[in-house]
Amino acid sequence: MCSHRSSCPFADQGLPHVVAAHPEQGWSLLCDGAIVFDDTGALTAEGRAVAPRRTPGAQLTTAV
């Protein structure tokens, strides 16, 4: 895992970057140990689950 030392290209921004992407399975591993899912949910490196962000149906637009 990346501890965001100077060797990390995103250390100056403090943002984790993808170290392993698995789009066929719908998830990516970040350098800080978190796993993010295509539905915007996540598992943190500490094991905490983050629920996906959902847009309410009334706010979605449809093509006519």
Side-chain angles (χ1 to χ4, degrees):
M1 284 192 299
C2 176
S3 61
H4 287 293
R5 292 184 297 268
S6 59
S7 61
C8 177
F10 296 95
D12 58 338
Q13 299 171 7
L15 301 173
H17 64 281
V18 174
V19 294
H22 293 278
E24 72 283 357
Q25 296 176 355
W27 63 273
S28 296
L29 173 66
L30 303 181
C31 66
D32 65 357
I35 298 172
V36 293
F37 298 96
D38 288 351
D39 69 354
T40 70
L43 293 175
T44 66
E46 297 81 30
R48 187 174 54 89
V50 178
R53 295 181 304 274
R54 306 277 188 205
T55 303
Q59 294 179 357
L60 297 174
T61 58
T62 57
V64 277

